[in-house]
Amino acid sequence: MNPVRKAVFPVAGLGTRFLPATKAMPKEMLPVVDRPLIQHVVDEARQAGIEHFIFVTGRNKGVIEDHFDRQFELEMTLLERQKHKILEYLNQDLPVPGSTSFTRQQEPLGLGHAVWCARELLGREPFALLLPDVLVQHQRGCLAQMIDAARDLPANANIVAVEEVPHERVDQYGVVGIGERRGKMFSITNMVEKPTKERAPSNLILTGRYILQPDLLEILGRQERGTGGEIQLTDAMIQLARTQPFYGFQFDGRSFDCGSKIGFLAANVSYALARSDIAPEFRAEIKKILGEVDD
Ligand code: UTP
C-alpha cells in the first residue's frame, strides 16, 4: 500500500469517566509514569515513521498544544540549575518544526466527527488514526507493526488493529468477522459495534489503531448520526468496507484502555515496572501495599 505519512489524534472528548481530574485538564494529559498519554501515542507514531501529526482539539485543550512547544522560561531555569539531562530529555520529545497541526472540533459529536474535522489537513492519502487513550506496550509500537505488515496489501487497503477479549465482554466493543488469514493479518468479513454475545462474529475487537483511506472522510461528511446521536467511526468504516478491503491485524503487545480507571492504573503499574530506573523501588512499594491490604 502507499506510504502512511500523516496521523490524526482525536483529543476533543470530554473525558467524563475521569471527572473531576478532567474538569480543567485534558484526559490526554494524564501521565503514565512521567509522560502524558498523548506523548506516549505520538512516540508510537514517530517510531512508525509518521511525518505529520494532526491533533483534533477542543475547548480547554490548549495545554496539549503547549506540551508540543518549547517552554523558554523552564529551559532557562533548567540551564541555570545545570539540569542538562532533563533538558536534553525534553528536547528529544520536541516535534520537528512544522510537523504538527492543530484543528478544532467545536462540539464533541463523536469520534467519526473528530476525524472528519481533520479532512483538510489529511488531504487525499491514507492516514493513521491513533486513539490517545489506548496504549499498546511493546518494543515495536503497534502502528509500526501495522505498517510493516501492510507493505504487500493493495493500495486501497484499510487496516484495523484487533485483539482478543473474553466472549462475555464483546458487547462493550466494535467486533470484527474473520475471513481469509495470513499470519497476523486477515481479511475482515464484517464489523459490528457493541453486539450481544450471541450476535458477535468473533471475540476480536477494534483496539484504537487504524490505517484508513481518505474515502472514509467523504462518508463521514454525510454527517449520519449513529448510537447516542454521535457520528460514529465504525458506522463509516462499515460503509467503506462495501467498496474497499478491510484487514484486521493482531498486534504483539499488551493494550491498556486508559480511558477507564482500571486500564489507566494498570498502565501506570506496567509501564513503571518496565522502567529500569524506578522498577526495583516501585516493585518493593507495591509488595508492601499488597501485603498491608491482604493483612
Ligand atoms: P472516548 O469516548 O474514549 O473519550 O473517545 P471521551 O468521550 O473523552 O471519554 P468519556 O467516555 O467521556 O470518559 C476516544 C478518543 O476520541 C476523542 C477523545 O478525546 C478520546 O481521545 N474524541 C471522542 C474526540 O476527539 N471527539 C469526540 O467527539 C469524541
Side-chain angles (χ1 to χ4, degrees):
M1 75 181 292
N2 294 325
V4 183
R5 298 184 314 115
K6 298 182 181 182
V8 57
F9 304 89
V11 293
L14 298 177
T16 51
R17 284 170 292 169
F18 262 100
L19 284 168
T22 49
K23 194 174 165 196
M25 182 181 70
K27 170 174 78 173
E28 297 79 10
M29 288 302 291
L30 292 172
V32 168
V33 187
D34 52 10
R35 297 169 84 68
L37 281 171
I38 188 69
Q39 180 72 63
H40 283 282
V41 182
V42 164
D43 292 345
E44 182 186 325
R46 202 189 272 178
Q47 190 197 44
I50 295 297
E51 296 166 14
H52 191 170
F53 305 83
I54 300 165
F55 300 86
V56 181
T57 72
R59 269 186 298 281
N60 297 329
K61 302 278 183 165
V63 66
I64 296 177
E65 198 163 343
D66 292 341
H67 178 76
F68 290 102
D69 199 357
R70 301 197 81 131
Q71 272 275 16
F72 281 111
E73 275 176 27
L74 175 67
E75 287 178 29
M76 289 315 291
T77 312
L78 290 174
L79 211 57
E80 277 163 21
R81 295 187 188 172
Q82 310 272 317
K83 305 252 183 207
H84 298 294
K85 239 184 152 165
I86 304 177
L87 200 54
E88 206 180 299
Y89 188 49
L90 284 181
N91 285 337
Q92 272 171 18
D93 289 339
L94 274 179
V96 172
S99 66
T100 52
S101 296
F102 295 84
T103 187
R104 285 247 183 165
Q105 183 190 28
Q106 288 139 332
E107 275 178 90
L109 295 178
L111 178 57
H113 182 259
V115 174
W116 178 75
C117 288
R119 67 199 177 282
E120 292 297 329
L121 296 161
L122 289 168
R124 291 287 315 162
E125 52 183 291
F127 63 90
L129 165 64
L130 298 95
L131 302 195
D133 48 7
V134 176
L135 293 190
V136 178
Q137 191 178 24
H138 195 263
Q139 251 190 343
R140 185 110 182 111
C142 182
L143 185 63
Q145 293 178 41
M146 289 167 81
I147 289 178
D148 291 345
R151 285 191 208 293
D152 299 330
L153 294 182
N156 64 346
N158 296 269
I159 307 153
V160 297
V162 298
E163 68 181 316
E164 277 188 74
V165 293
H167 276 284
E168 307 74 68
R169 287 178 45 212
V170 286
D171 58 353
Q172 299 165 33
Y173 304 97
V175 182
V176 301
I178 311 167
E180 197 189 328
R181 188 186 263 283
R182 245 191 291 153
K184 291 179 190 152
M185 190 78 83
F186 58 88
S187 56
I188 286 181
T189 52
N190 57 340
M191 287 179 263
V192 198
E193 190 59 46
K194 300 191 173 67
T196 58
K197 204 169 71 176
E198 293 70 33
R199 279 197 56 235
S202 74
N203 64 336
L204 285 173
I205 60 153
L206 301 168
T207 309
R209 299 290 183 270
Y210 311 76
I211 297 174
L212 298 164
Q213 297 296 329
D215 311 79
L216 183 91
L217 302 168
E218 278 152 40
I219 297 171
L220 288 171
R222 293 180 208 143
Q223 311 272 326
E224 288 166 15
R225 307 286 176 124
T227 318
E230 293 193 342
I231 298 168
Q232 300 282 354
L233 177 74
T234 311
D235 290 348
M237 292 199 300
I238 291 168
Q239 284 194 46
L240 185 60
R242 291 182 195 139
T243 54
Q244 289 186 356
F246 266 75
Y247 295 87
F249 177 73
Q250 263 180 297
F251 55 89
D252 290 325
R254 193 194 194 293
S255 78
F256 296 94
D257 173 12
C258 297
S260 77
K261 292 180 191 67
I262 298 296
F264 173 74
L265 294 169
N268 264 293
V269 172
S270 189
Y271 276 69
L273 290 175
R275 283 266 298 260
S276 57
D277 57 336
I278 53 173
E281 206 181 323
F282 183 55
R283 190 182 291 274
E285 282 297 325
I286 289 191
K287 273 193 182 156
K288 213 158 68 185
I289 294 169
L290 289 175
E292 284 161 15
V293 172
D294 287 345
D295 283 347

